Amino acid sequence: MLTRNLYRIRYPQLVGVRVCLGVAEAGLFPGVAYYLSLWYPRNALQSRIGLFFGAATIAGAFSGLFAFAISFMSGTRGLLGWSWIFITEGILTVTVGLVAFLVLVDFPVTASFLTPEERAFIVRKKKYDNSSVGEEEKFDVKYVYQAFTDWQVWIHILIYMSLIGPLYGITLFLPTIISDFGEFSTAISQLLTVPPYIFATLVLGFFAYYSDKIMMRSPFILAAQILCLIGFSINIANVSSGAKYFGTFLIVAGSYSGFPGIVAWLGNNLSGQYKRGVGMALHIGIGNFSGAIASNIFRTQDKPRFILGHGIELMFVGIGMILLPVTVFVYSRINLKRARFMERVAEGLEKQPSVKELRELGDRAPNFRYIL
């Protein structure tokens, strides 16, 4: 019965199921990013987000091998190969989800696997990481309002789009792009998607480690954007298949390696756990709309060069490359003004804000410094 029902599924049912899948997974990454920000200080956040997202990059590598293997199951029990992909991946996802529900703890303070001393250390280190007086921990609707009206949330959304658009585009259409080089079968095209993801995983790890080490995000995000810019420029040009394949390495590496940095950057620069939670949800939730665009721009009639698709992706990258230095400039100016204010406070020329005022101000406090 199950086999017959799966076999009879039509396009409307697939769309409905895909919508349900999207609703279910929409909160996963912003939730995980926020969850990690509750555990790790600012100078260790990107490497942890990178470790988590690196799993997605590795999954991209294995998905090519997996799709190649599953293609040989087409016809088994009357189902096509793509049906078996949904079945096997669905079973794995549900299994991991159940295990995570049982294993993960909400906050460091409730982590039973830590000793009381370890819990106290993590809580204190995280509490005073974003603020010298500790973050405000009591919920107030004003923190939601502050997240919606904070300029940096909205400019970070556009920078986020500059890499998430390319990421979705290359993830969804890499096998199609490779197969339209005109030299490979569908199965071989799936196998050829593996090396770019392996390369991207290495670049992601390198960027995440050194970004935390020097406590800067923007240089590595810019480097990722440049990789995407070069990669898409190669693929939109009338060059050999080998050159275009090399370009896909740069696109995959750039889009995947820059993603953790963008998420960590905003998480680092929002103080107050409620404001940060709402801000990161807006950041990722709205930013992912560029993925909806990217999923519809590599049209069949545009093959083999896909000028429209690559052109729109270049537009996303270009917008990000313009806004990135603007953001760094604004952050630098604000940091400088705050440093001068604190100097005047030390000289007795300005009134020292109270602990309560500093805590409520969060990332707008004069003693808070934005990470560049």
Side-chain angles (χ1 to χ4, degrees):
M1 179 65 70
L2 175 62
T3 300
R4 289 200 301 271
N5 287 339
L6 285 171
Y7 188 75
R8 292 173 181 173
I9 287 177
R10 297 293 184 264
Y11 182 73
Q13 288 92 343
L14 281 177
V15 172
V17 171
R18 184 62 185 88
V19 170
C20 293
L21 175 62
V23 171
E25 70 178 5
L28 175 64
F29 192 81
V32 170
Y34 174 65
Y35 179 77
L36 292 173
S37 74
L38 297 175
W39 284 77
Y40 296 101
R42 295 205 289 176
N43 64 350
L45 184 59
Q46 183 171 338
S47 58
R48 270 59 181 190
I49 293 177
L51 185 63
F52 170 76
F53 195 67
T57 315
I58 295 172
F62 280 103
S63 66
L65 293 172
F66 187 65
F68 177 74
I70 290 294
S71 66
F72 294 102
M73 292 184 64
S74 185
T76 303
R77 299 186 65 84
L79 297 174
L80 297 175
W82 62 264
S83 299
W84 284 110
I85 292 177
F86 278 98
I87 293 170
T88 51
E89 290 189 353
I91 292 172
L92 290 172
T93 300
V94 171
T95 302
V96 172
L98 290 173
V99 172
F101 178 77
L102 296 173
V103 172
L104 287 179
V105 295
D106 293 330
F107 302 100
V109 72
T110 62
S112 59
F113 61 88
L114 297 174
T115 66
E117 293 77 14
E118 289 171 336
R119 287 197 294 269
F121 173 79
I122 293 174
V123 169
R124 179 174 178 80
K125 186 175 181 63
K126 189 66 195 78
K127 181 176 181 178
Y128 293 97
D129 176 52
N130 284 46
S131 171
S132 61
V133 296
E135 289 189 318
E136 181 60 61
E137 297 177 347
K138 294 181 180 179
F139 175 76
D140 193 305
V141 71
K142 70 179 180 182
Y143 300 125
V144 177
Y145 175 78
Q146 287 175 5
F148 272 88
T149 56
D150 194 325
W151 66 272
Q152 58 174 328
V153 171
W154 298 101
I155 198 168
H156 271 270
I157 286 173
L158 295 175
I159 298 173
Y160 177 88
M161 286 181 168
S162 74
L163 287 179
I164 199 65
L167 187 150
Y168 271 102
I170 201 67
T171 300
L172 295 173
F173 294 101
L174 183 58
T176 302
I177 293 170
I178 292 176
S179 66
D180 283 317
F181 290 164
E183 302 176 13
F184 312 108
S185 65
T186 301
I188 297 300
S189 296
Q190 292 286 358
L191 285 177
L192 287 174
T193 64
V194 176
Y197 282 104
I198 294 175
F199 176 65
T201 303
L202 297 175
V203 176
L204 185 153
F206 177 85
F207 280 12
Y209 174 79
Y210 281 100
S211 179
D212 274 349
K213 188 176 180 65
I214 68 173
M215 274 306 291
M216 292 190 73
R217 309 299 184 207
S218 56
F220 298 94
I221 297 171
L222 179 61
Q225 291 171 333
I226 291 173
L227 288 175
C228 287
L229 178 69
I230 297 172
F232 281 119
S233 298
I234 292 173
N235 272 271
I236 203 172
N238 187 19
V239 295
S240 67
S241 298
K244 290 189 174 186
Y245 186 52
F246 170 74
T248 64
F249 277 73
L250 303 182
I251 297 169
V252 177
S255 57
Y256 275 84
S257 65
F259 184 82
I262 293 176
V263 175
W265 197 18
L266 181 63
N268 287 159
N269 288 338
L270 292 176
S271 182
Q273 59 176 308
Y274 294 106
K275 180 182 178 181
R276 184 165 56 249
V278 175
M280 294 180 75
L282 287 172
H283 182 214
I284 298 173
I286 297 176
N288 278 344
F289 277 110
S290 62
I293 298 172
S295 64
N296 291 283
I297 57 178
F298 288 93
R299 305 178 304 176
T300 304
Q301 61 264 40
D302 296 329
K303 62 173 62 174
R305 289 178 63 185
F306 296 102
I307 292 177
L308 176 68
H310 294 316
I312 292 177
E313 299 288 28
L314 283 169
M315 176 198 71
F316 278 127
V317 175
I319 292 173
M321 293 183 72
I322 293 171
L323 293 177
L324 183 70
V326 171
T327 306
V328 172
F329 175 77
V330 175
Y331 276 152
S332 299
R333 292 286 296 174
I334 294 174
N335 284 346
L336 181 60
K337 288 176 63 176
R338 290 176 179 177
R340 289 173 176 171
F341 175 83
M342 294 306 293
E343 288 175 0
R344 292 196 300 272
V345 169
E347 295 169 359
L349 302 176
E350 296 283 356
K351 179 184 176 182
Q352 171 70 48
S354 68
V355 171
K356 184 176 185 295
E357 289 172 333
L358 291 173
R359 186 174 291 133
E360 289 184 347
L361 284 170
D363 54 80
R364 296 177 300 161
N367 63 344
F368 183 90
R369 297 294 179 269
Y370 290 118
I371 289 177
L372 304 181

